[in-house]
Amino acid sequence: MPGNGGSASGHPGASFYTPRVADQALVRLADVGFATSGSVILRGVDLTIAAGEILGISGPNGAGKTTLLRLLATLLRPTSGRGTVLGTDTGARPQELAPVRRQIALIGHSPALWPDLTLRENVDLPAGLRHGPADDDPLGAVGLAGVARLKAAHASLGMQRRVEFARLLTWTPRLLLLDEPHAGLDEAAGPLVNHLVTRVTDRDGAVVMVSHDRNRAGSLVTRRLAVAAGTVLEAPA
Amino acid sequence: MTPRAFWKQVGWVFAKDLRVEVRGGVTLRMATPFAALALLLAPLATGADTALLRRIGPGMLWLVVILFGMTVTLRSGNESGPVRDLLTLCGLDPAAGFLGRSLAGAVLLLGVTLVLVPLMIVLYAPEGSPGWGWLALLAIAGVMALGLLGSLVATLVTGLRARTSLGPLLAIPPAVPVLLATARGTDSALSQRGSLSWLLLLVAMNLALVIVGVLLAGPMDETTR
C-alpha cells in the first residue's frame, strides 16, 4: 500500500522484493507491465519469488491481481518489461514455455471443470493428460468420495473447489497460484488448503495466493504484497 | 514433444470431447432429431414429385448435415476460459487439441449422417440400389472435412464475444465446396456411377484443412487468451 513500503514501479531489484526465505528465485519480473485494448492493467512490476516462499497478495477488485497471476502462469505475456518464470523467459515461444507450464498449477476464482462430466472424471481426465491416472483416491482425500459420480454442474462451489484441490493431490507443482482459494469453502477445508501449500513449499516450490481473507490465508504467508491501480506494492506483514 | 506423445494427446482430446458430447447430448438430443425432421419436411413442402425429389435428395442430405452439423462442430471451441487455461498448463499441444477436436466432431457428424442417409434414400430416391462403398467413402471424407472446418473456425473465434453468430458465418463459405463434392458425389453413387473425382476433391480439402489448422492452432491459442 502507498506509504507502507512504496511503489515497486521503476525499482527493479528493490530491496523489499529480495527473497527472504531462500535464494533460489523461481520468478523474476523486471518492470513488467500488461495492457490490453488500450487500458493498462499492470505497470512497472518488479518481483522476485524464491523457492519456499508463500506470497500473499491482496487488493481491491479490478486492481490487477488475477492478471498478475496469469502473467506468473505464463498464460499472458507481458506487454512491457521482462521476466523469467522457472528459468524461462516469459516472452519465449510456446514450445519453450510448454515444459514450464507443466510445472505450474493455477486455481482461479472460476473453477476449471467440465460441467457435464462427473467429479471423478474431472480429476482423472487432467491427470491422464499430465501424467497418467492417479494411483490413490484423491477425491476421498478431499471428502468427496461419496459424490464422485455427481455431475460437476450439480455440485456446489465448495465441492467444485475441492475437486480442483483433489487434482493437486495427484502431482506437485513447482509454482502454485491460488486465486481466492478459500472462496466457497467451509471452515473444515482450511487444513486442506494449508496441506496443499506446504506440500509445494516442502518440495522447493513457491505459492502465490490472492486472498481477501487475511485470517484464513494469514498463518501461512511469508510475504505480503498489495496490488493497487495496476502497481504492486510491499504490504505490511 | 515426441510423435507418440503428440498422438496420445490427440487421442485424449478425442476421447474427452466424445465423452463430454455423450453426457451433454447436444448431438443426440438436438442436432440429429432436427436434421431428420428437416429432411422429412422438405418432401411435404415440395409435393410428391419423385423426379424433383430424386434430383434434390443428395443436396438436401448434405445441406442438412452441414447446417445441423455446425451446431456440433462449432461447439468444440466453447470450453470455458479456466478449462482452456487448465489444458494449457497440463501441456496440451494446441495442434493436438485441434486434431482431437476435429476427429471427435467428425465421428459425431458420421453418426448424424448414418441416421440421415437411409432416411434420404427412402424419402427421396427409393428406386434402385446405391453404391454403398462410394457412399461410405464420401460420408467419411465429407464429415472429416466438416469436422476439421468446424474445429478450425471454433479456434479462430474463441474468446470473441460475437463467436456464436460469427462462427457459422465464417464456416459456411468454405463449407460450400464440401457441399458440392458430397452432394454431387452422393448423386453419382445413387446412380451406381463412380464418385472418384468428388472423393479426391474432399481428400484434398481434408489435407489443406489439416495443414492450415495445425499451423494456426498454436498462434491462435496464444493470441485468443
Side-chain angles (χ1 to χ4, degrees):
Chain A
M1 265 169 258
N4 287 333
S7 166
S9 180
H11 297 282
S15 61
F16 49 72
Y17 288 113
T18 305
R20 292 170 186 167
V21 178
D23 53 13
Q24 188 190 351
L26 300 185
V27 173
R28 288 182 196 278
L29 301 183
D31 200 23
V32 158
F34 183 79
T36 182
S37 306
S39 62
V40 177
I41 312 291
L42 286 171
R43 61 174 72 88
V45 178
D46 298 307
L47 178 62
T48 304
I49 303 173
E53 274 201 296
I54 304 168
L55 209 62
I57 296 181
S58 58
N61 296 333
K65 304 183 297 295
T66 300
T67 301
L68 179 60
L69 282 192
R70 286 170 60 78
L71 280 169
L72 293 172
T74 73
L75 293 167
L76 295 177
R77 291 163 185 270
T79 49
S80 62
R82 300 204 54 157
T84 59
V85 174
L86 303 181
T88 302
D89 196 292
T90 50
R93 293 183 303 140
Q95 295 93 323
E96 292 162 341
L97 283 174
V100 172
R101 286 170 168 168
R102 288 175 69 92
Q103 299 177 68
I104 299 171
L106 168 66
I107 295 189
H109 47 68
S110 302
L113 303 182
W114 289 277
D116 288 325
L117 299 186
T118 65
L119 302 186
R120 179 168 306 288
E121 287 168 330
N122 268 287
V123 173
D124 289 346
L125 273 174
L129 182 60
R130 191 182 285 279
H131 48 68
D135 297 331
D136 45 8
D137 179 21
L139 274 178
V142 299
L144 294 178
V147 287
R149 292 167 68 89
L150 182 71
K151 265 191 179 185
H154 301 153
S156 69
L157 175 62
M159 291 161 92
Q160 293 182 4
R161 275 269 180 236
R162 284 173 185 257
V163 169
E164 293 197 293
F165 294 150
R167 286 176 182 157
L168 286 173
L169 292 172
T170 66
W171 70 296
T172 306
R174 196 82 201 286
L175 185 60
L176 174 59
L177 308 167
L178 302 169
D179 199 349
E180 295 291 352
H182 298 96
L185 288 177
D186 52 31
E187 289 293 329
L192 175 61
V193 178
N194 295 357
H195 170 68
L196 291 170
V197 166
T198 49
R199 236 167 82 101
V200 172
T201 52
D202 285 350
R203 299 182 193 187
D204 279 340
V207 180
V208 180
M209 195 187 316
V210 167
S211 181
H212 290 109
D213 190 344
R214 285 183 77 131
N215 291 333
R216 296 178 84 176
S219 60
L220 292 169
V221 167
T222 57
R223 186 156 62 109
R224 288 187 187 283
L225 296 177
V227 181
T231 56
V232 178
L233 312 159
E234 179 84 347
Chain B
M1 182 183 290
T2 62
R4 189 166 178 272
F6 178 86
W7 287 107
K8 200 174 160 193
Q9 288 196 347
V10 172
W12 184 91
V13 174
F14 171 74
K16 183 264 295 173
D17 273 17
L18 283 186
R19 193 181 293 201
V20 168
E21 184 55 44
V22 166
R23 296 289 165 76
V26 169
T27 310
L28 290 172
R29 283 186 224 146
M30 213 173 76
T32 310
F34 274 98
L37 273 176
L39 216 52
L40 197 66
L41 291 174
L44 294 178
T46 57
D49 182 341
T50 47
L52 174 67
L53 289 176
R54 173 70 184 74
R55 271 205 314 279
I56 65 170
M60 278 299 300
L61 167 72
W62 285 102
L63 186 64
V64 163
V65 170
I66 287 175
L67 290 180
F68 287 92
M70 284 296 165
T71 62
V72 175
T73 55
L74 287 175
R75 241 181 128 245
S76 64
N78 271 359
E79 279 175 326
S80 68
V83 168
R84 281 186 69 208
D85 290 347
L86 171 72
L87 294 178
T88 302
L89 294 177
C90 284
L92 177 66
D93 187 316
F98 165 75
L99 288 177
R101 284 194 299 274
S102 302
L103 281 170
V107 166
L108 293 169
L109 286 189
L110 190 62
V112 176
T113 309
L114 285 176
V115 172
L116 298 184
V117 165
L119 201 60
M120 186 274 289
I121 290 174
V122 169
L123 291 173
Y124 293 79
E127 300 122 26
S129 140
W132 289 108
W134 284 113
L135 270 182
L137 289 173
L138 282 164
I140 291 168
V143 296
M144 194 61 235
L146 294 174
L148 287 162
L149 184 59
S151 187
L152 177 62
V153 171
T155 306
L156 290 173
V157 298
T158 298
L160 298 179
R161 276 187 205 156
R163 66 175 178 272
T164 315
S165 49
L166 200 57
L169 289 177
L170 283 175
I172 292 301
V176 170
V178 182
L179 175 64
L180 279 175
T182 47
R184 298 284 170 83
T186 302
D187 189 42
S188 297
L190 286 176
S191 315
Q192 287 281 4
R193 284 177 278 133
S195 310
L196 185 62
S197 55
W198 299 115
L199 189 62
L200 289 177
L201 176 62
L202 286 171
V203 170
M205 281 200 69
N206 274 306
L207 281 175
L209 286 166
V210 166
I211 292 167
V212 172
V214 166
L215 289 177
L216 282 184
M220 288 308 300
D221 186 60
E222 289 291 316
T223 52
T224 54
R225 286 188 191 289

